[in-house]
Amino acid sequence: VEVALVCCLLLLLTASAIFALVYRRKREQQYKKNSQKMQHLLGSMPNMVVIFDREMNIVDILNPDRVIMLGKTVDELKGNNLSTEKTKQARDFSYEVTTTRNKTLYFEARSVPFEDRKVLLFVHDTTTRVAAEKKAVMLKDFLQSIIHSLPVGVSVKDANDQFRYLFYNKKANDFYKEEKEVKLGKNDYELDSPVARQYREEDEKALESETPLVFDRVMYDNETKSYRFGVATKSRLIRDDGSRYIITTIADMTDLHKKETELDNIRNELSIALDAGSLSAWIYDVEEAKFMSLYSNTLSDGSPNPDVIQHMAHPESRADLDQFMEALLSGREPKRRGVFRFMRNGQYGWYETY
């Protein structure tokens, strides 16, 4: 009986050992199969994958990228240690490397804990994208510097956001005497502007118009106790995504308005002086073939043509007047003097013409 019991026990132990061995082999085969699948999956990813063991030594590199590896081979990098607590944790980070040729490379990486305290590190070369983003930022800053240096004021409103201000350059600040930080993100009603209703009506008209609209601006400056004059031009910008904007340019016409006022005053004073001296002043428009009176004391009102002037001349003076005008219009003589008889107030009189 004891022999039979020992034999049964030996058979049981042998069967258990065989079962454990078979189970272990199946587990190893399954693990090997899963590992191959995992490596195939990682190998099909666009990123380079660095596999670390539990001591953070590089075991293998899938999808090797010589740019990321800085020209080294996989065998040269195997066994290198990257023991950092940050890498052991699941996290995203970016870093940059300056090569021996003084070229800066940019990378993004993600570390992921793997089975049995191993770590996978996914690395992607972002140098091209970062360079494009930096170039876009530089171009944006350059364009903004151009807009800020323009001789006219520029402002932009978002028509889809209740016409709130998105942009305001320095010249616009100078004309309206308002800081852009106060205006940005608000509309004219939220700024309690006394002309908010007028500006909103202008914006709505510009939004419906296919051509730019022009509006006059007159602003009173409390500091200088004077008026500023400007011309605002509003146009719409509609993008493919449905966003709508109102772009306004404001040109400060104060200096020009002052000069025009001074010129009008000079012309009025000169007109009085010419009237006092019994003189007449005309401009002949060659393209329009018309005489235009500069001042009040002239032979005729309006803008008569040469035929009317000929009719006003005495018959004996008409031939001389033709020669006089022909010499000037042909350019043979830059200036000329003559005395002619013209009809005025129902009778002929002698007029010196220069």
Side-chain angles (χ1 to χ4, degrees):
V1 176
E2 292 180 355
V3 174
L5 183 60
V6 171
C7 291
C8 290
L9 182 60
L10 290 175
L11 290 173
L12 181 61
L13 292 175
T14 302
S16 299
I18 294 173
F19 178 78
L21 182 61
V22 173
Y23 179 75
R24 181 179 178 181
R25 286 184 177 179
K26 286 185 177 180
R27 287 287 304 272
E28 289 177 350
Q29 291 176 354
Q30 186 65 33
Y31 177 81
K32 186 177 181 180
K33 186 177 181 179
N34 291 339
S35 178
Q36 291 176 346
K37 287 183 178 180
M38 178 63 69
Q39 288 196 357
H40 177 72
L41 177 62
L42 294 175
S44 63
M45 291 183 174
N47 298 341
M48 188 182 84
V49 183
V50 184
I51 303 176
F52 296 89
D53 60 16
R54 64 179 61 187
E55 283 79 26
M56 293 304 297
N57 297 315
I58 296 177
V59 177
D60 198 4
I61 297 178
L62 305 179
N63 301 329
D65 188 322
R66 292 188 64 85
V67 175
I68 299 177
M69 297 188 300
L70 302 178
K72 295 184 178 181
T73 64
V74 175
D75 293 335
E76 289 175 332
L77 292 175
K78 279 185 178 181
N80 287 358
N81 185 271
L82 189 65
S83 181
T84 61
E85 293 298 325
K86 292 182 179 180
T87 310
K88 292 181 179 180
Q89 303 171 1
R91 61 185 295 269
D92 297 317
F93 60 94
S94 58
Y95 64 98
E96 60 184 69
V97 177
T98 302
T99 65
T100 55
R101 297 182 178 180
N102 202 28
K103 180 181 179 182
T104 304
L105 304 177
Y106 299 90
F107 306 101
E108 287 184 353
R110 178 176 177 80
S111 60
V112 180
F114 194 45
E115 60 182 14
D116 195 21
R117 296 173 60 188
K118 295 180 181 178
V119 175
L120 297 179
L121 182 66
F122 299 87
V123 187
H124 179 62
D125 183 2
T126 59
T127 303
T128 303
R129 190 195 72 194
V130 172
E133 290 175 350
K134 287 188 174 184
K135 186 176 182 180
V137 171
M138 290 177 59
L139 181 60
K140 180 181 178 181
D141 293 340
F142 176 67
L143 292 176
Q144 285 190 345
S145 64
I146 291 177
I147 294 176
H148 281 298
S149 63
L150 289 175
V152 296
V154 179
S155 63
V156 180
K157 293 180 180 179
D158 187 350
N160 291 348
D161 189 22
Q162 300 181 15
F163 296 95
R164 290 187 169 92
Y165 287 94
L166 294 178
F167 181 81
Y168 216 72
N169 76 343
K170 185 177 182 302
K171 280 294 182 180
N173 291 345
D174 294 341
F175 182 81
Y176 289 105
K177 302 298 182 182
E178 294 175 337
E179 294 298 328
K180 66 178 182 180
E181 289 76 10
V182 177
K183 287 202 166 204
L184 294 181
K186 298 180 180 180
N187 58 34
D188 296 304
Y189 284 105
E190 293 169 338
L191 293 168
D192 295 326
S193 173
V195 289
R197 182 176 180 181
Q198 173 190 338
Y199 288 176
R200 178 60 61 86
E201 291 177 353
E202 292 176 357
D203 294 338
E204 292 174 346
K205 289 179 180 179
L207 195 60
E208 298 296 327
S209 176
E210 296 183 356
T211 58
L213 302 181
V214 179
F215 304 94
D216 292 327
R217 290 284 185 267
V218 180
M219 313 292 294
Y220 183 73
D221 192 338
N222 291 319
E223 295 182 0
T224 61
K225 305 300 181 182
S226 61
Y227 286 94
R228 295 190 306 280
F229 299 87
V231 175
T233 304
K234 295 191 174 186
S235 56
R236 70 181 186 184
L237 173 62
I238 301 178
R239 303 182 62 184
D240 295 337
D241 59 1
S243 55
R244 304 176 302 167
Y245 305 93
I246 297 297
I247 302 176
T248 304
T249 60
I250 179 71
D252 192 341
M253 309 297 288
T254 304
D255 291 339
L256 180 60
H257 186 270
K258 289 180 179 178
K259 291 179 180 178
E260 289 180 346
T261 303
E262 293 173 358
L263 182 59
D264 287 340
N265 293 335
I266 293 173
R267 291 181 62 178
N268 291 333
E269 293 174 359
L270 184 57
S271 175
I272 295 173
L274 290 173
D275 287 346
S278 298
L279 299 177
S280 297
W282 297 76
I283 290 179
Y284 181 70
D285 191 326
V286 178
E287 293 182 359
E288 297 290 335
K290 290 182 179 180
F291 285 93
M292 292 182 293
S293 172
L294 289 179
Y295 310 107
S296 59
N297 188 20
T298 58
L299 295 173
S300 175
D301 296 329
S303 301
N305 57 38
D307 294 337
V308 174
I309 298 297
Q310 276 283 352
H311 180 72
M312 294 169 57
H314 191 277
E316 296 179 358
S317 296
R318 291 174 184 174
D320 295 336
L321 181 61
D322 284 339
Q323 294 178 2
F324 180 87
M325 293 298 298
E326 196 275 333
L328 294 174
L329 293 175
S330 64
R332 293 199 313 271
E333 298 183 24
K335 56 185 177 180
R336 195 170 185 181
R337 175 181 175 278
V339 179
F340 309 101
R341 296 171 66 187
F342 289 99
M343 173 71 74
R344 187 173 184 227
N345 298 328
Q347 58 182 358
Y348 288 105
W350 293 94
Y351 293 86
E352 183 178 15
T353 306
Y354 180 79

